[in-house]
């Protein structure tokens, strides 16, 4: 194949699932910590609402390309309150998932040969879309605490750079970028005439209460900031594909072209569910956040089981723990060995890095949001038994 899809790699989660083929987990259940998606259904009250609106005629029709206006308005109000800024309905679009929001934004920013800076390790679907769009990924390596350095980003900007991307809380590393670091990236992007794309898919599970940054307080934020969001994690609506982008009205007019061409409109059922969630599930979501934070604490409390075997906890937050293993083999080899010997499916760090970058050789990502605190103990006990 010679088309644009040939310019990128195969979907990493699909590859990881192929490692399970032919394996028997009847005696020891698989612990799947590979994918960052809720496996439980939406809460019962939301499902009841969805069952009701499925009977409404307009649920099955085309909707507005940029999404249901009541949902756009509610998200604008919610965002204005959370970030203590001013976001209007006209600055919000609803998309078929957050991945589509990213793809649409890139289409408005870049031509073939342009560049977008991604901190590495990156969210692999971002890199895949850049590859298929003919856009160069300007890698910004993160080391140590896995927080990207604005000064280093400034040194890597070229005449073809169009944007900088931040994902916080981060996927895959889990780290929460400090507000002052986010502000520094905003100031850098603004001073160089670039867009700052900030993907906050996991913001509902941030350990800090209150706004995670102050960017929406900037009077002219819409000239620089493009925010991405997903309802998938907050309300367990992964299969209904409902995301959002917040940006200036001029860019939304361009995004509308992309969305109309690709999906025409987001799912009406998913949008109605997201709207009801925003209006009615605040207390439920607050409890979900506390549960995720409890599991995060369980990682901290029980990680000494792995520390004693030479492992290191590199990053932690939201849905993810990012680990460094002590063995003289690649993370990919170790991930396959974990399936065989421990009944654990995790993703190697190499899946989140450019080809040829060996920094991920020692790293594994654990998506812990779908396992209980008790299962985290079992997970670490199993992993500790694997040796070289």
């Amino acid at each position: 194949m010679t088309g644009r899809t040939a310019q990128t790699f195969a979907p990493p989660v699909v590859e990881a699932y192929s490692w399970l083929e032919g394996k028997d987990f009847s005696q020891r259940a698989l612990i799947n910590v590979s994918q960052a998606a809720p496996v439980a259904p939406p809460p019962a009250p939301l499902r009841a609402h969805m069952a009701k609106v499925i009977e409404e005629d307009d649920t099955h029709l085309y909707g507005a390309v940029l999404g249901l206006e009541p949902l756009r308005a509610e998200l604008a109000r919610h965002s204005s309150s959370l970030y203590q800024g001013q976001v209007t309905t006209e600055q919000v679009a609803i998309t078929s998932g957050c991945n589509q929001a990213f793809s649409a934004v890139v289409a408005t920013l870049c031509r073939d040969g342009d560049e977008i800076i991604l901190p590495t390790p990156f969210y692999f679907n971002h890199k895949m879309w850049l590859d298929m769009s003919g856009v160069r990924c300007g890698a910004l390596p993160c080391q140590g605490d896995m927080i990207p350095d604005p000064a280093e980003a400034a040194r890597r900007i070229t005449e073809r750079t169009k944007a900088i991307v931040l994902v916080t809380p981060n996927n895959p590393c889990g780290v929460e970028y400090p507000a002052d670091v986010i502000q520094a990236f905003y100031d850098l992007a603004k001073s160089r005439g670039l867009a700052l794309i900030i993907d906050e898919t996991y913001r509902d599970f941030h350990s800090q209460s209150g706004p995670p940054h102050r960017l929406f307080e900037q009077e002219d934020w819409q000239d620089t900031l493009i925010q991405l969001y997903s309802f998938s994690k907050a309300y367990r609506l992964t299969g209904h594909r409902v995301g959002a982008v917040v940006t200036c009205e001029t860019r939304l007019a361009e995004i509308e072209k992309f969305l109309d061409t690709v999906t025409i409109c987001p799912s009406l059922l998913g949008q109605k569910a997201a709207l009801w969630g925003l209006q009615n599930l605040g207390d439920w979501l607050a409890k979900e956040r506390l549960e995720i934070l409890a599991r995060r604490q369980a990682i901290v409390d029980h990680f000494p089981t792995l520390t004693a075997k030479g492992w290191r906890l590199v990053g932690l937050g939201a849905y993810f723990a990012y680990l460094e293993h002590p063995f003289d083999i690649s993370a990919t080899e170790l991930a396959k060995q974990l399936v065989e010997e421990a009944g654990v499916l995790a993703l190697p760090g190499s899946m989140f890095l450019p080809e040829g970058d060996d920094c991920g050789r020692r790293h594994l990502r654990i998506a812990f949001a779908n396992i209980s605190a008790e299962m985290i103990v079992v997970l670490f006990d199993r992993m500790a038994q694997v040796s070289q």
Side-chain angles (χ1 to χ4, degrees):
M1 293 291 182
T2 58
R4 287 188 180 270
T5 55
Q7 305 309 306
T8 197
F9 43 86
V13 173
V14 175
E15 177 184 348
Y17 270 76
S18 73
W19 302 338
L20 304 178
E21 294 175 5
K23 305 296 188 300
D24 181 6
F25 299 104
S26 60
Q27 300 302 312
R28 180 178 54 185
L30 175 72
I31 301 178
N32 188 346
V33 287
S34 66
Q35 194 166 14
V39 295
L46 178 52
R47 279 179 281 157
H49 176 73
M50 295 171 74
K52 178 181 177 181
V53 300
I54 200 72
E55 298 293 338
E56 298 174 357
D57 291 349
D58 68 340
T59 299
H60 309 283
L61 305 178
Y62 285 145
V65 175
L66 293 179
L68 284 174
E69 185 169 344
L71 177 56
R72 297 170 64 193
E74 189 65 32
L75 184 57
R77 286 192 292 270
H78 184 86
S79 298
S80 297
S81 175
L82 173 63
Y83 295 100
Q84 300 172 19
Q86 183 60 46
V87 179
T88 68
T89 302
E90 293 73 25
Q91 293 167 330
V92 175
I94 306 302
T95 58
S96 298
C98 195
N99 274 6
Q100 189 186 66
F102 179 80
S103 302
V105 166
V106 170
T108 72
L109 287 167
C110 298
R111 298 175 182 267
D112 285 1
D114 285 341
E115 174 185 90
I116 287 181
I117 292 177
L118 296 185
T120 59
F122 46 55
Y123 171 46
F124 44 67
N125 283 156
H126 286 173
K127 176 60 163 60
M128 293 173 73
W129 182 254
L130 296 187
D131 291 344
M132 290 186 284
S133 300
V135 178
R136 181 178 178 273
C137 169
L140 175 61
C142 298
Q143 300 174 350
D145 60 5
M146 308 310 286
I147 303 293
D149 180 5
E152 182 59 31
R155 289 189 283 270
R156 291 171 182 262
I157 293 172
T158 73
E159 62 180 11
R160 299 305 297 269
T161 304
K162 300 301 181 184
I164 301 169
V165 175
L166 301 179
V167 181
T168 180
N170 185 254
N171 178 8
C173 298
V175 296
E176 300 169 349
Y177 296 167
D180 61 339
V181 171
I182 296 173
Q183 184 67 51
F185 271 100
Y186 175 88
D187 294 340
L188 170 63
K190 182 177 180 179
S191 69
R192 304 293 283 270
L194 308 178
L196 176 65
I197 304 170
I198 181 165
D199 183 334
E200 296 187 83
T201 292
Y202 302 95
R203 75 175 184 204
D204 299 295
F205 309 101
H206 203 291
S207 64
Q208 171 190 311
S209 59
H213 58 75
R214 300 288 185 178
L215 301 189
F216 284 107
E217 295 181 27
Q218 309 293 317
E219 184 175 350
D220 55 351
W221 66 262
Q222 64 272 11
D223 295 339
T224 302
L225 177 63
I226 303 172
Q227 185 202 51
L228 311 181
Y229 179 63
S230 171
F231 296 94
S232 293
K233 311 305 186 291
Y235 306 123
R236 303 177 185 167
L237 291 171
T238 50
H240 294 281
R241 314 306 305 128
V242 192
V245 55
V246 181
T247 185
C248 66
E249 294 179 49
T250 303
R251 188 171 307 283
L252 283 188
E254 296 302 305
I255 286 174
E256 190 171 31
K257 300 176 186 177
F258 181 96
L259 300 179
D260 183 60
T261 306
V262 177
T263 53
I264 301 179
C265 67
S267 158
L268 269 295
L269 178 60
Q271 290 187 82
K272 290 181 178 183
L275 174 59
W276 196 89
L278 278 175
Q279 294 173 333
N280 296 278
L281 291 179
D283 291 343
W284 177 86
L285 183 54
K287 292 178 182 178
E288 286 288 290
R289 171 180 173 269
L290 292 178
E291 177 59 33
I292 294 297
L293 292 178
R295 295 175 190 181
R296 170 180 172 162
Q297 187 59 46
I299 295 283
V300 174
D301 293 343
H302 299 289
F303 200 77
T305 300
L306 291 182
T307 302
K309 298 290 185 176
W311 292 73
R312 188 168 73 90
L313 185 59
V314 179
L316 178 64
Y319 272 36
F320 308 109
Y322 204 64
L323 316 182
E324 182 180 277
H325 72 79
F327 308 121
D328 190 26
I329 59 173
S330 73
T332 300
E333 293 175 274
L334 178 60
K336 294 178 180 180
Q337 186 176 341
L338 282 168
V339 171
E340 293 279 355
E341 298 183 12
V344 171
L345 181 64
L347 298 188
S350 54
M351 288 182 168
F352 305 94
L353 289 160
E355 186 177 358
D357 187 333
D358 288 335
C359 290
R361 178 178 174 83
R362 297 284 298 279
H363 292 152
L364 286 176
R365 189 194 77 175
I366 301 295
F368 62 82
N370 287 319
I371 59 174
S372 65
E374 292 76 17
M375 283 305 299
I376 287 170
V377 177
V378 176
L379 170 69
F380 287 169
D381 284 345
R382 290 194 192 181
M383 293 175 68
Q385 294 172 15
V386 174
S387 61
Q388 290 294 316

